[in-house]
Amino acid sequence: MPKEQQKRGRRGDKKRQRADEDEISEVKRQKHEDQGGGYEEHQEDQSTQVFQNEDYIPLESSRGGTGEFYGLLDEEEQAYFKSADQILESNQFTTADERLLFLESVWNEARGKELKLASSQSSSRLMEKLIQLSTTSQLKSLFEKFDGHFLSLVQHRFASHCCEALLLRSAPVVTEELVAYPSPTAPEESGVKPMEKLFLQVLAELNEYMGYLMTDKFASHAVRVLLVVLSGHSLEEASGKSLLRGRNKERIGTDYTEIKENKDTTTRSVPSSFSRALEETVGKMIGQLDANHLRSFATQPLGNPVLQLLLEIEFERVGKEVAKDEQSLFRKLLPEIPLVEGSMSARFVRGLLYDPIGSHLLETIITCSPGKTFKSIYIGELRDNLKSIVRNDNASYVLSKALERLSAEDLQFVLKQIDPEIPFLLEDSRTSVLRTLIERYHVRKLNDEEIGNIFREHFDRSNSFSLEKIFGLVLENQQNALLSERSQEHDQNTNYSHISLLLQKMLEHPGSLREIVNEAIKAASPTALVAAVHDKSATYLVQSALLCQNQPQNFRRILLQKFSGKASELALGHVSSYVFDAFWKATTDLRFLRERIAQELARDQAALRESRSGRIVWRTWMMDLFTNKRKSWIDRSKEFDALSIENGAHATASKDENKKTDLDKARERFASHRANEGRRAPKTPQKRGAEHSQVVIGESSSPRSTDEEDHSMDKVMTSTNSGGITGIEALS
């Protein structure tokens, strides 16, 4: 006898359980009918219909009130919004006007259903895309629809993401209106409600519940976004991204949403009402909690990012005076500054140092705190424990942040202290401190031969510095399946990527560190280099070795010749095909090698055209032009080389300018000022004696120039003291 078809697993069990519940509810409804009750029947039928819809996820009850239910989309509406989402994702619009018309039609269809869309599992992603592509008037309309419901929406699993997108997308509009309408009442006079007031309405709705929203699973993200918008912080800074977006945050967007994003990395201009509202909100959030509660947030996954953001805002607004204000968040966390052994502040810092979550807060304190506070923390908790800190996974990142503020003498002291631990760090792939140390040696203009000698001594003693041993490369039976399996193993193990980052950092600056890596690459066999290019971690090292600045031509020629005869194999690999971009740029002055690689590709034209990676390489290298018009291909490649050299020169100049610290800029201003004063007034002989006890820098006949020099000197001293270097060193 045939058996009834049944679904296996949890879904089948839920379906059968739901059927049993329907039978029970049918009996209940029949009983209500006998008693003449119609209202109970309607309520039972409505609740059954709601919970049978898989798209519905109930709002969790909050302390601010019970969760609100906004209704469900019917099947036709779900089908329409699903198709609209697919059309936006495919981006097959011929013109921008066509896309705008389509977006307008979607918004018209969503009118009155905004709350349903935001709380729907299937349609909330569409709502986020629409927000990213919306005009200012559409954003303001959505604010009005959400008004009065923000408390429930920010605590909802899906609607909270829509609230975040709305706040982030609307933040640049505040600055635009501030510039366009200098008068606060100008937008209202024109019949348009300003975005400033819409943000203040949201804050007024959430202000009473900020104390527990900051640790809510979903609402904490929206609270952080709101604080960043009110403070005027840049929305594109790396630190801001890590505080606003979680590690598993899904990036919702399309290929053309980038045109709507704010790419300005500078601080945004915000109205004065935002500053006052932010001060009141932060004061209320901190005032509701005592020091013990605030310290407990430091080790909570949700409370810690909020504390980081509040500290950054406090340091920016108050500056050095934050250490004197006993009611500030910083003083509540660290009441005893400077640190005293055995004090509560010292124990708290020591606990944060080794905690996987609390160490992030300590990084923020070290980065943003005044110079005296940083020196107290460094001397009290870091300097005497460098060996144990550098071996710890969490504390080593805190030390990396501290290295960015140390002087040249302190950096040399750190290197001497951790010298015995460097072999252990290299073997265990804990390279964050070493990478930062190399970078800071270059910034402080120290000779990196000390680090190079230590590395070389370790590699020579252990005889382990070869690409095969470092990356565990597969050197025989180079088959795609075997390489793919090896790549998957590397995805699970991040040790190889840490080693690759360290070697890339060693290649960045000419000197002994680069020579160590170059020697290892030249000593590698062609088989090992081919395996390295197929590896996801090692391929970045090979590309960096070809593209790093001022790399000798002889080294690039030797390295490229080791790939002779392997061009087609590399072009067919998913990972190895990326190296052809480096091959093209590295052969700017080695055109005979470029033509040789192109000839190898041309011989396997059929195989390359059948592979996706091969087609990309074929198009990038203009192989159709190479096979049909060789001379035109040569002329075109020369044009590209000239253009890339010109762009590279401009990029290098701008990069070097951006790398200048405040100390470097102060030195340049002081040097130019001295040169100008020296040219402006010739030196005059001065008498030695009591009447000439004053020291004049850059002598001038004008007393005003002397004051300007003293002012410039004060700038130099201030910059050096804040950076952790003595004033005498700044002049030497």
Side-chain angles (χ1 to χ4, degrees):
M1 181 176 180
K3 295 183 178 180
E4 179 186 1
Q5 289 186 349
Q6 294 182 351
K7 286 187 177 181
R8 293 162 52 181
R10 291 175 294 176
R11 292 186 178 179
D13 294 340
K14 289 182 178 180
K15 188 174 181 180
R16 287 189 290 273
Q17 183 180 1
R18 194 181 303 136
D20 296 339
E21 292 176 355
D22 290 342
E23 294 178 1
I24 296 173
S25 61
E26 191 68 32
V27 175
K28 291 182 178 180
R29 283 195 293 270
Q30 188 175 4
K31 183 177 180 180
H32 290 314
E33 287 176 0
D34 297 338
Q35 296 177 354
Y39 176 76
E40 292 83 359
E41 175 189 353
H42 175 71
Q43 288 292 101
E44 188 72 27
D45 182 70
Q46 186 179 11
S47 62
T48 305
Q49 181 182 0
V50 167
F51 287 104
Q52 282 182 351
N53 194 319
E54 294 181 356
D55 189 54
Y56 169 69
I57 291 184
L59 285 157
E60 298 179 0
S61 61
S62 65
R63 302 182 205 181
T66 57
E68 300 180 49
F69 175 60
Y70 306 110
L72 299 172
L73 299 171
D74 57 33
E75 293 183 0
E76 293 182 1
E77 292 171 343
Q78 288 185 9
Y80 172 79
F81 289 122
K82 183 177 181 180
S83 64
D85 190 10
Q86 293 174 352
I87 293 173
L88 284 176
E89 191 67 31
S90 61
N91 190 22
Q92 299 297 324
F93 304 103
T94 56
T95 61
D97 294 336
E98 182 181 349
R99 183 173 66 243
L100 291 176
L101 290 175
F102 176 76
L103 291 172
E104 187 67 29
S105 65
V106 175
W107 274 117
N108 291 334
E109 183 66 27
R111 186 175 293 117
K113 310 179 186 72
E114 293 87 352
L115 297 174
K116 294 181 182 180
L117 282 170
S119 57
S120 170
Q121 180 179 9
S122 59
S123 302
S124 60
R125 292 181 177 85
L126 173 62
M127 176 63 78
E128 289 190 60
K129 294 177 185 178
L130 291 175
I131 290 172
Q132 293 174 0
L133 299 168
S134 295
T135 61
T136 301
S137 59
Q138 291 168 344
L139 293 173
K140 292 183 177 181
S141 176
L142 190 59
F143 263 105
E144 296 291 348
K145 297 294 183 181
F146 284 2
D147 188 27
H149 304 284
F150 274 103
L151 181 60
S152 296
L153 292 175
V154 296
Q155 298 176 82
H156 191 269
R157 178 179 179 183
F158 305 118
S160 60
H161 296 285
C162 298
C163 293
E164 293 177 48
L166 179 61
L167 296 174
L168 285 172
R169 176 67 184 88
S170 304
V173 180
V174 177
T175 305
E176 294 172 4
E177 291 184 349
L178 190 63
V179 176
Y181 306 104
S183 175
T185 59
E188 293 182 343
E189 294 174 356
S190 60
V192 180
K193 199 168 188 178
M195 190 66 75
E196 173 188 352
K197 287 200 171 183
L198 295 175
F199 270 99
L200 294 177
Q201 287 179 3
V202 177
L203 182 62
E205 184 177 347
L206 303 180
N207 204 0
E208 184 181 351
Y209 311 101
M210 282 289 190
Y212 76 88
L213 288 179
M214 61 186 292
T215 56
D216 184 82
K217 184 177 182 180
F218 304 116
S220 62
H221 296 83
V223 169
R224 293 178 229 162
V225 172
L226 185 58
L227 292 175
V228 168
V229 173
L230 294 176
S231 65
H233 279 189
S234 171
L235 304 177
E236 290 296 322
E237 290 181 353
S239 60
K241 285 183 179 180
S242 63
L243 292 178
L244 299 183
R245 184 179 293 117
R247 180 177 299 177
N248 299 324
K249 169 74 172 178
E250 180 183 2
R251 293 187 64 90
I252 302 295
T254 55
D255 295 337
Y256 50 88
T257 53
E258 295 181 359
I259 61 176
K260 293 288 185 180
E261 293 179 358
N262 179 28
K263 296 297 182 183
D264 189 9
T265 58
T266 59
T267 303
R268 296 174 294 106
S269 299
V270 293
S272 58
S273 59
F274 277 17
S275 301
R276 293 192 298 268
L278 178 65
E279 187 174 354
E280 294 176 2
T281 302
V282 173
K284 185 178 294 185
M285 292 173 65
I286 298 174
Q288 292 176 353
L289 303 171
D290 58 9
N292 292 330
H293 282 88
L294 290 173
R295 292 194 188 98
S296 66
F297 287 164
T299 55
Q300 289 184 1
L302 298 173
N304 184 281
V306 179
L307 285 184
Q308 292 183 55
L309 185 57
L310 291 176
L311 278 175
E312 288 184 3
I313 294 173
E314 191 173 74
F315 282 127
E316 182 178 353
R317 288 173 51 248
V318 184
K320 297 181 180 180
E321 300 298 325
V322 70
K324 301 178 181 178
D325 185 6
E326 296 183 356
Q327 299 301 321
S328 64
L329 174 61
F330 176 72
R331 284 300 303 272
K332 284 190 174 183
L333 294 175
L334 300 175
E336 297 95 3
I337 291 294
L339 297 182
V340 179
E341 181 64 28
S343 63
M344 183 180 297
S345 298
R347 294 196 301 269
F348 178 64
V349 170
R350 194 174 300 117
L352 294 179
L353 182 60
Y354 296 99
D355 188 83
I357 298 174
S359 58
H360 294 283
L361 179 63
L362 188 55
E363 289 181 37
T364 302
I365 294 175
I366 286 178
T367 303
C368 303
S369 61
K372 291 183 179 180
T373 304
F374 164 71
K375 291 178 181 179
S376 175
I377 296 175
Y378 171 72
I379 295 173
E381 297 297 331
L382 301 180
R383 189 177 63 179
D384 297 334
N385 303 310
L386 291 174
K387 292 184 179 179
S388 62
I389 289 174
V390 78
R391 295 169 65 100
N392 186 272
D393 290 333
N394 303 315
S396 59
Y397 289 99
V398 179
L399 179 59
S400 298
K401 290 293 183 181
L403 292 178
E404 297 177 0
R405 299 190 62 175
L406 293 182
S407 64
E409 292 83 356
D410 290 331
L411 289 174
Q412 293 174 333
F413 174 79
V414 171
L415 180 61
K416 292 179 182 178
Q417 292 295 312
I418 67 173
D419 185 359
E421 306 297 332
I422 289 180
F424 167 79
L425 299 177
L426 294 173
E427 292 173 1
D428 218 31
S429 300
R430 298 181 180 179
T431 63
S432 62
V433 174
L434 299 178
R435 295 200 308 269
T436 308
L437 198 59
I438 292 172
E439 180 64 28
R440 299 311 298 176
Y441 255 65
H442 176 71
V443 171
R444 296 299 188 194
K445 298 180 181 180
L446 295 172
N447 191 356
D448 59 1
E449 287 189 6
E450 290 184 74
I451 307 177
N453 293 335
I454 294 174
F455 283 6
R456 190 182 298 275
E457 180 182 354
H458 166 67
F459 292 140
D460 293 342
R461 184 171 61 252
S462 59
N463 194 22
S464 62
F465 194 70
S466 64
L467 297 184
E468 299 93 326
K469 293 182 179 179
I470 289 177
F471 294 102
L473 299 175
V474 181
L475 301 182
E476 52 189 17
N477 298 328
Q478 300 268 340
Q479 299 176 1
N480 292 334
L482 189 60
L483 292 171
S484 176
E485 180 182 354
R486 187 63 189 172
S487 298
Q488 293 177 2
E489 292 177 2
H490 280 216
D491 287 343
Q492 299 173 359
N493 190 352
T494 59
N495 290 342
Y496 297 105
S497 62
H498 285 294
I499 286 292
S500 179
L501 290 173
L502 174 63
L503 299 181
Q504 292 175 54
K505 181 62 68 176
M506 295 169 66
L507 284 169
E508 285 185 6
H509 311 296
S512 59
L513 293 175
R514 178 184 289 186
E515 291 177 1
I516 295 175
V517 183
N518 286 350
E519 291 173 3
I521 293 177
K522 286 193 293 186
S525 62
T527 307
L529 287 173
V530 171
V533 171
H534 280 287
D535 186 85
K536 286 186 176 180
S537 298
T539 184
Y540 290 109
L541 174 62
V542 177
Q543 295 178 42
S544 298
L546 288 170
L547 299 178
C548 61
Q549 192 175 7
N550 299 327
Q551 187 70 283
Q553 183 190 62
N554 184 40
F555 171 81
R556 287 183 279 117
R557 179 179 57 80
I558 294 173
L559 180 56
L560 289 169
Q561 287 177 343
K562 291 193 176 186
F563 294 103
S564 178
K566 300 292 185 179
S568 300
E569 177 187 343
L570 299 180
L572 294 174
H574 174 66
V575 176
S576 58
S577 60
Y578 288 93
V579 80
F580 278 89
D581 292 336
F583 284 172
W584 181 277
K585 296 176 182 178
T587 53
T588 301
D589 53 351
L590 296 170
R591 292 194 177 92
F592 72 96
L593 287 178
R594 180 183 293 178
E595 293 186 27
R596 186 181 302 174
I597 295 172
Q599 291 172 359
E600 293 183 18
L601 294 174
R603 285 196 293 266
D604 292 331
Q605 178 178 354
L608 292 176
R609 289 186 179 275
E610 293 178 359
S611 169
R612 182 177 182 274
S613 302
R615 288 194 297 270
I616 294 174
V617 173
W618 188 271
R619 184 171 61 253
T620 305
W621 276 62
M622 303 177 293
M623 291 303 299
D624 288 330
L625 189 63
F626 178 83
T627 55
N628 297 324
K629 298 180 180 180
R630 179 77 60 87
K631 188 176 183 303
S632 299
W633 180 85
I634 295 174
D635 295 338
R636 183 71 63 83
S637 65
K638 289 180 180 179
E639 294 176 4
F640 279 117
D641 292 342
L643 184 61
S644 63
I645 291 174
E646 182 180 356
N647 294 337
H650 289 300
T652 303
S654 60
K655 185 177 180 181
D656 293 340
E657 182 67 24
N658 293 333
K659 277 188 173 181
K660 290 181 180 179
T661 62
D662 294 337
L663 174 62
D664 296 331
K665 294 176 182 178
R667 283 172 172 167
E668 291 180 358
R669 288 195 301 268
F670 181 66
S672 62
H673 187 73
R674 288 189 63 180
N676 293 334
E677 292 297 334
R679 287 194 300 268
R680 191 180 307 165
K683 292 184 178 180
T684 57
Q686 301 289 338
K687 295 182 180 180
R688 296 184 181 180
E691 65 274 12
H692 272 285
S693 59
Q694 183 181 4
V695 178
V696 180
I697 302 175
E699 298 154 347
S700 173
S701 59
S702 173
R704 182 181 176 183
S705 62
T706 306
D707 297 336
E708 292 176 354
E709 290 164 356
D710 294 340
H711 182 61
S712 300
M713 191 66 183
D714 293 339
K715 286 185 177 179
V716 174
M717 299 295 291
T718 304
S719 302
T720 53
N721 290 336
S722 61
I725 306 178
T726 60
I728 297 176
E729 182 193 349
L731 299 177
S732 60

